[in-house]
Amino acid sequence: MTLAAVASGIILGLGAAIPIGPVNVEIARRSLRSGFVAGASLGCGAVTVDMTYAVISSLGVQLLLKQRWLMLGLSIAGIGLLIYLGVMSLRAAWQSRGKSRDELLAATAPRSLHGGYVTGLLMTLLNPITLAFWFVVVPATTIKSGPGSSHDLPALCFGVFLGTITWVICFAGAMSRLGRSRKASWIVLADAVGGVVLLGFAAAAIWRTV
C-alpha cells in the first residue's frame, strides 16, 4: 500500500464528497432533524457508490458514459428521486407548523439505518454529475489506467474511503450538534429549505437533460 495512492484516494474522496449537492443537503436536513445517525447512514450509502466508481474508474472502464440511453435513464430516475425527496421535505415542513417542540421531537425519531443508507445509495448512483466526476474528470487529471493501476487499487480505494467517510462523519456530526437545541423553528426551517434546494437541483437537472 503506497502512501501516494492513499493520498490520491483521500483527495479524490474529498473532491467527490465536499461539493454542495443533493446528498449534502439531505445529510444536513436529516442530521438537523433526526440526529447524527440519520444523516451519517445516508452518507454511508453515498460513500459506497463513490468507492465503487473509484474501482471502476481505476480499471479504465468508461464505456458507461458512451451509452446515451443509460445516461438519460439515470438522469430521469435521479430527477424523480430529487423531486420526491423535495416534496416530502416541504410536506414535512408544512405538517410541522404550529406543533410544539415536544410534538416535533416525538415525530422526528431517527430514521432506520437501512432506509437512510439506501436513499444515499440511490441519490449518488442516479447522479450523472457523480458519473462525470469519476469517469471524465478523474481519469483526465489523476487516475492513470495501465499495468500498474491494479497494484495501487487497494490503496487508492482505501484513501477514497478515508476521504469520503471523514467528510460524512464530520459534516453529519456538525449538523447534528447544531440541531441539538431542537427548536421547533429549526426543524421546520431545515425541512423547508432542504425541500426548496432539492427541488432546485431537480430543476437544474431537468434543464441539463433537456
Side-chain angles (χ1 to χ4, degrees), residues 71-101:
M71 294 298 293
L72 179 61
L74 287 174
S75 296
I76 293 173
I79 289 168
L81 180 60
L82 289 177
I83 292 175
Y84 170 77
L85 292 173
V87 170
M88 293 303 292
S89 297
L90 292 177
R91 180 185 177 188
W94 180 263
Q95 293 175 341
S96 298
R97 292 178 311 115
K99 290 186 178 181
S100 67
R101 179 176 180 274

Side-chain angles (χ1 to χ4, degrees), residues 189-204:
L189 184 62
D191 283 335
V193 173
V196 170
V197 173
L198 288 172
L199 290 177
F201 279 119

Side-chain angles (χ1 to χ4, degrees), residues 31-172:
S31 298
L32 284 168
R33 183 179 178 89
S34 304
F36 174 78
V37 172
S41 61
L42 185 141
C44 287
V47 170
T48 301
V49 175
D50 282 327
M51 287 190 63
T52 302
Y53 284 166
V55 172
I56 298 173
S57 182
S58 298
L59 296 176
V61 179
Q62 301 177 31
L63 297 179
L64 291 176
L65 294 182
K66 297 181 180 179
Q67 305 297 325
R68 296 187 63 183
W69 62 268
L70 179 59
M71 294 298 293
L72 179 61
L74 287 174
S75 296
I76 293 173
I79 289 168
L81 180 60
L82 289 177
I83 292 175
Y84 170 77
L85 292 173
V87 170
M88 293 303 292
S89 297
L90 292 177
R91 180 185 177 188
W94 180 263
Q95 293 175 341
S96 298
R97 292 178 311 115
K99 290 186 178 181
S100 67
R101 179 176 180 274
D102 291 337
E103 288 175 327
L104 286 176
L105 289 179
T108 56
R111 300 163 186 259
S112 68
L113 288 173
H114 179 264
Y117 178 83
V118 171
T119 301
L121 202 70
L122 291 176
M123 289 184 74
T124 311
L125 187 67
L126 299 176
N127 189 351
I129 296 178
T130 303
L131 281 171
F133 175 82
W134 285 111
F135 297 107
V136 177
V137 177
V138 170
T141 58
T142 306
I143 296 179
K144 305 296 183 183
S145 19
S149 62
S150 60
H151 175 73
D152 289 335
L153 185 56
L156 182 76
C157 292
F158 179 67
V160 169
F161 172 77
L162 285 180
T164 51
I165 200 66
T166 297
W167 170 255
V168 166
I169 291 173
C170 293
F171 187 55

